[in-house]
Amino acid sequence: MEQHRTRPAQYGPRRNGAPLPSQGRGGTAAARPLGRPVRQRTVPARPAPGPGSPVARVVRALRGMPNPRLTGLGSGLFCAALMTLLGFVDELLFGASLTVYGVLFVPVSLLTALWVRRGDLLTAPVVVPIAFAVGLVPVAESGDGIGGRLMGLVTALATEAGWLYGGTLVAGSAVIVRRIRLVRRRRAAARNRPPV
């Protein structure tokens, strides 16, 4: 009994010597019908920085850094634990200097915003001020009892509000930049996706 090979109607009969469709070649546009033209975007070429240029050295250093992806809770715990540790180090080495603590808070805020995963981006500007307050406990001046310690914490928060706002602004700016890049990548992927 003779068996006939069936082909989908969208491709039509193949002529002798005609090239295989893209799915036969293993291309990325496997689902695209042959009749549609392929639009290719031209990307202007940027000159690559030289191997010894400062930009190339910075890029290599950034690529060598760890790139963890923290959840929202993980980023909060990371930031709070690191600020508490830096608070104890500040108390030990610098005599509980609030200025040193504020300066150290800004890079920790940036790291928290860069290391939080994409799905939890909006948690970074929320957890950063909480971590600032938690880390102030060893640094803030304390009086007698819980009331004195609480008053010292409130005073430190009031006097160091500039560092608190600055670090939160840095974290928020990094989150906004990451969010914009994420949206652009999704749009580009949607444009390059073959039609169904």
Side-chain angles (χ1 to χ4, degrees):
M1 173 175 238
E2 187 176 326
Q3 293 182 352
H4 296 284
R5 179 184 284 178
T6 58
R7 294 180 49 79
Q10 64 190 18
Y11 292 115
R14 188 177 342 164
R15 295 178 290 275
N16 287 337
L20 287 173
S22 59
Q23 71 265 24
R25 292 190 305 264
T28 57
R32 186 178 294 128
L34 287 178
R36 294 188 184 175
V38 178
R39 249 183 25 200
Q40 292 184 357
R41 294 187 320 171
T42 56
V43 179
R46 284 190 282 180
S53 71
V55 174
R57 286 195 296 265
V58 169
V59 168
R60 278 195 302 269
L62 288 176
R63 286 186 180 163
M65 288 182 66
N67 192 16
R69 288 293 168 227
L70 303 170
T71 62
L73 179 62
S75 64
L77 291 174
F78 163 76
C79 192
L82 192 57
M83 287 313 299
T84 304
L85 178 68
L86 289 175
F88 281 116
V89 169
D90 180 24
E91 183 184 20
L92 189 68
L93 297 179
F94 301 104
S97 170
L98 291 173
T99 305
V100 171
Y101 179 79
V103 168
L104 292 173
F105 173 67
V106 175
V108 171
S109 301
L110 181 63
L111 281 179
T112 303
L114 292 177
W115 285 353
V116 69
R117 67 182 183 180
R118 293 176 187 156
D120 297 326
L121 276 176
L122 298 178
T123 59
V126 175
V127 300
V128 163
I130 296 169
F132 183 85
V134 169
L136 269 178
V137 171
V139 180
E141 295 180 16
S142 60
D144 294 334
I146 295 175
R149 183 166 290 277
L150 188 61
M151 187 56 75
L153 185 62
V154 170
T155 303
L157 280 171
T159 57
E160 300 305 311
W163 291 113
L164 174 62
Y165 293 145
T168 307
L169 182 65
V170 165
S173 301
V175 163
I176 289 171
V177 168
R178 284 187 62 197
R179 181 70 182 163
I180 290 171
R181 290 182 64 201
L182 178 64
V183 168
R184 285 184 180 170
R185 279 187 199 145
R186 285 182 180 166
R187 285 184 183 163
R191 267 187 307 226
N192 294 335
R193 189 177 301 134
V196 179

